[in-house]
Amino acid sequence: MSIKNNLQELKNALNKEVTLVAVSKTKPISAVQEAYNAGQRIFGENKVQEMVGKYEELPKDIKWHMIGHLQRNKIKYMAHFVDLIHGVDSFKTLKEINKQAKKHDRIIHCLLQVKIATEETKFGLTNQEINSILNNEELKTLENITISGFMGMASFTEDKTQVSKEFNSLKTFFETSKNDFNTKNIELKILSMGMSGDYKIAIKNGSNMIRVGSAIFGNRNY
Ligand SMILES: *Cc1c(COP(=O)(O)O)cnc(C)c1O
């Protein structure tokens, strides 16, 4: 199957409310260009350097999403163009994103990463930690960021009931938070959950943004 066919098949299966982020990490420029030629405009990367390199080479109407675990000292390299940062997991990181966005007179949209998987290895914040960030008075002073929603990764398991349960818990938390927080720079609209192996379950549980790599570009060699 070609990248174009994979994208078409995926899009046919999605409804209009679900945004597709094509995860192009480790894949060459030519693969991204192929997806672009097929109409895809949103791409996700997990390493800042790689994303910057691709941004410089490829058409400027691409929206670049950072989906990987963030190192604070790298934020400055992408602050002039990054469209959405998915994996924010501390207030300190929000402050750094704000500082760098301000230098470019931009607002950077961020998603807070919620820990839903039972695995120890997954990053993310507990619901309580999210609440304390959203309640932090200092957040109001961060005028160059918007918290646009949440992101979560389910456990890596064949157990679909478990995965479904994890996504459902995030959806419930997202809905509650939407009601509880609605201030100047908190606009909870995006729920980013679902990858190649579990996006169907994620959508059933209310995801409106999926991050799909291998189902579009083929397997990665790592
Ligand atoms: C790599 C990655 C994806 C895409 O994974 P696939 O299984 O290839 O679809 C999605 N989200 C994050 C955070 C990733 O690192």
Side-chain angles (χ1 to χ4, degrees), residues 155-169:
S155 296
F156 188 70
T157 169
E158 292 294 312
D159 183 353
K160 293 200 163 112
T161 313
Q162 174 68 21
V163 172
S164 188
K165 213 165 77 187
E166 292 174 2
F167 284 144
N168 187 258
S169 73

Side-chain angles (χ1 to χ4, degrees), residues 83-119:
D83 185 65
L84 181 67
I85 300 178
H86 285 237
V88 179
D89 66 358
S90 76
F91 196 76
K92 246 173 126 176
T93 299
L94 283 175
K95 278 169 72 169
E96 177 64 16
I97 296 169
N98 183 70
K99 181 178 155 194
Q100 299 301 334
K102 196 176 185 130
K103 286 185 188 165
H104 300 281
D105 197 24
R106 302 182 66 216
I107 289 173
I108 296 180
H109 295 263
C110 302
L111 305 181
L112 297 176
Q113 184 165 359
V114 187
K115 184 173 162 61
I116 53 172
T118 47
E119 296 160 15

